[in-house]
Amino acid sequence: MAAGHGAVFAVTLFDEGYDAGFLCSAVNACYCEAHGYELYPIVLTRHEMELLCGERHFAWAKVVVLTELLSPGRFVGGGGAAGVLADRLPAVVRDRAAASEWVVWFDADLMVINHGMPLMSFLCDSGKDMVLGEDMADLDWLNTGLVACRVSSAWCQTLWPRVWAEGDPSFHRGEFWDQSALCYCLSAWKEFAPTVIGGQRTGTPASEQPWFSWQGGTKCRETEHILVLSAGAIQTNNPLYAQFAFHAAGMKDKVRCCRHVAGSGAILDLAVSERAAAMCVDIDREGYGPLFQELRGAEGLACPWGWPSCVRAVWPGERPIPQVRGVWDGVLPVLVGAAAPRGLSLAALGRGGAGAPGERKVEVRDRSPFFADDPAPARWPFGFSACV
């Protein structure tokens, strides 16, 4: 087991008929074992889910479980939640969570696909109480598919019971459930001022700087208590752009999607161990069945979305840009060879946060022709801003 035991206690929950949950948690168990974290999957019957959540959508089970793990003595949930939790989340498990530095929630349709990147690379230097990602669509400012809560944080200890009690009742069964309720509460508490909650505009004027990184906003945003990472950096529903986790949110056939991602070689550094299998099989032997054997078949496969090998077409009259070492004269374009600044990496740029080189918003003027044999336009046909 890798170093890091006790730093992260990860938890996920789903009902026994949710096949994507078994597959994703099997993948996440392999990830957690590789880094010395614990993953505790909770598999319930549909009746137990109803007891846990009461009249609310099953997505609210997240709020019930996080309250139980982070807020000893506080109780939320349906009328039968106490009995379900006593059986499925025994005291010895709650004690292990309490002894960890972070409790991390994985949605049942989320799988980590970069097994070489430790969660602590997001968490250890954040200085915040909670770390999560932006939403992949402009429906909520946050996405709760992956949420990391600092166990010692008094703010986190009161957060989830308050979300249960104070979230707008329209989100009890209406989209996007606990996620929209969290954004609603954070807005009401002045943690941030979102322009949209639950797919509905709030009336808050949009700022000059967009919130979403995929609309030109920064890749790392902070509030008083929260670190918000870009969708690509932490979790997104497009596996081509997922730098850490693939979240099958919005997918019509989640099982098929997740099976393709898991079986095609898209999971970087996948290693299946007996200890990883034991995390899950000890919970539900029948449900996990042959999944870990199937995952062993994907070990070592090359990622299907690697960079394509192709020959670039050239323009008529194109001249190569020379590479120089030294001082640029500021007249003709050149490529200046220089050592990379210390600490500069694509991973650091993607994550942002402490130690990252920072970002600059620059105007991009595209003067390239649409086709290789077209003449270059006399003026730039369009421009846009990008963060680099």
Side-chain angles (χ1 to χ4, degrees):
M1 182 181 291
H5 182 66
V8 172
F9 179 94
V11 62
T12 187
L13 180 148
F14 51 94
D15 75 71
E16 61 187 4
Y18 194 65
D19 291 341
F22 287 105
L23 176 57
C24 289
S25 57
V27 172
N28 294 337
C30 295
Y31 169 77
C32 288
E33 168 57 23
H35 293 279
Y37 310 145
E38 179 176 355
L39 174 70
Y40 189 78
I42 305 172
V43 184
L44 304 181
T45 65
R46 189 171 186 85
H47 178 60
E48 287 173 320
M49 291 289 285
E50 293 168 352
L51 292 173
L52 193 68
C53 300
E55 297 297 320
R56 304 192 189 194
H57 189 277
F58 287 173
W60 280 88
K62 175 187 310 173
V63 178
V64 178
V65 170
L66 289 176
T67 297
E68 185 72 11
L69 293 177
L70 294 166
S71 312
R74 305 288 292 269
F75 173 78
V76 301
V84 173
L85 292 172
D87 182 44
R88 301 291 188 158
L89 198 60
V92 64
V93 175
R94 295 197 298 271
D95 289 345
R96 294 203 299 271
S100 299
E101 186 177 352
W102 293 88
V103 165
V104 177
W105 172 273
F106 290 140
D107 266 6
D109 59 349
L110 178 144
M111 64 169 69
V112 178
I113 62 173
N114 185 350
H115 286 207
M117 181 178 289
L119 265 168
M120 293 305 291
S121 65
F122 301 125
L123 306 179
C124 63
D125 296 325
S126 72
K128 296 296 180 178
D129 301 290
M130 185 166 74
V131 179
L132 73 173
E134 65 183 353
D135 200 16
M136 294 86 77
D138 56 352
L139 301 173
D140 279 315
W141 270 18
L142 305 176
N143 187 284
T144 57
L146 192 162
V147 184
C149 298
R150 192 184 295 273
V151 173
S152 62
S153 163
W155 186 81
C156 281
Q157 290 164 11
T158 61
L159 171 67
W160 298 106
R162 292 187 68 190
V163 170
W164 180 275
E166 300 175 32
D168 190 308
S170 65
F171 300 126
H172 289 182
R173 298 200 66 83
E175 295 178 325
F176 297 93
W177 317 296
D178 64 288
Q179 173 178 292
S180 298
L182 173 64
C183 292
Y184 172 88
C185 289
L186 293 175
S187 176
W189 304 335
K190 311 302 183 186
E191 184 76 23
F192 63 2
T195 56
V196 61
I197 297 175
Q200 302 296 319
R201 297 298 165 186
T202 63
T204 301
S207 64
E208 183 179 346
Q209 174 70 59
W211 171 262
F212 296 105
S213 64
W214 42 267
Q215 290 182 341
T218 59
K219 296 174 182 173
C220 177
R221 292 161 300 289
E222 295 183 353
T223 68
E224 181 181 356
H225 299 97
I226 305 171
L227 172 65
V228 184
L229 302 176
S230 68
I234 188 167
Q235 55 96 41
T236 182
N237 58 2
N238 188 334
L240 276 72
Y241 301 112
Q243 299 171 31
F244 181 68
F246 165 64
H247 184 190
M251 302 293 174
K252 292 183 178 179
D253 191 343
K254 297 192 179 195
V255 175
R256 183 180 178 188
C257 256
C258 292
R259 282 193 176 277
H260 177 71
V261 170
S264 63
I267 303 175
L268 181 66
D269 295 334
L270 173 65
V272 183
S273 69
E274 293 301 324
R275 290 178 65 95
M279 286 188 196
C280 299
V281 174
D282 288 351
I283 300 295
D284 191 323
R285 181 173 300 277
E286 181 178 351
Y288 286 97
L291 281 177
F292 285 94
Q293 190 58 41
E294 292 175 16
L295 288 175
R296 287 188 177 94
E299 289 179 306
L301 293 180
C303 180
W305 304 304
W307 293 105
S309 177
C310 60
V311 177
R312 184 181 67 83
V314 297
W315 307 338
E318 178 180 335
R319 291 180 299 171
I321 298 176
Q323 184 170 358
V324 300
R325 292 189 176 276
V327 181
W328 178 39
D329 62 13
V331 180
L332 295 176
V334 297
L335 298 174
V336 179
R342 190 171 187 179
L344 179 63
S345 68
L346 290 176
L349 286 170
R351 282 198 304 274
E359 295 184 344
R360 293 288 186 273
K361 191 171 184 179
V362 298
E363 185 178 8
V364 178
R365 295 178 177 177
D366 191 341
R367 295 197 58 181
S368 63
F370 288 107
F371 298 100
D373 54 357
D374 286 346
R379 296 174 57 84
W380 56 83
F382 57 87
F384 58 91
S385 296
C387 287
V388 297

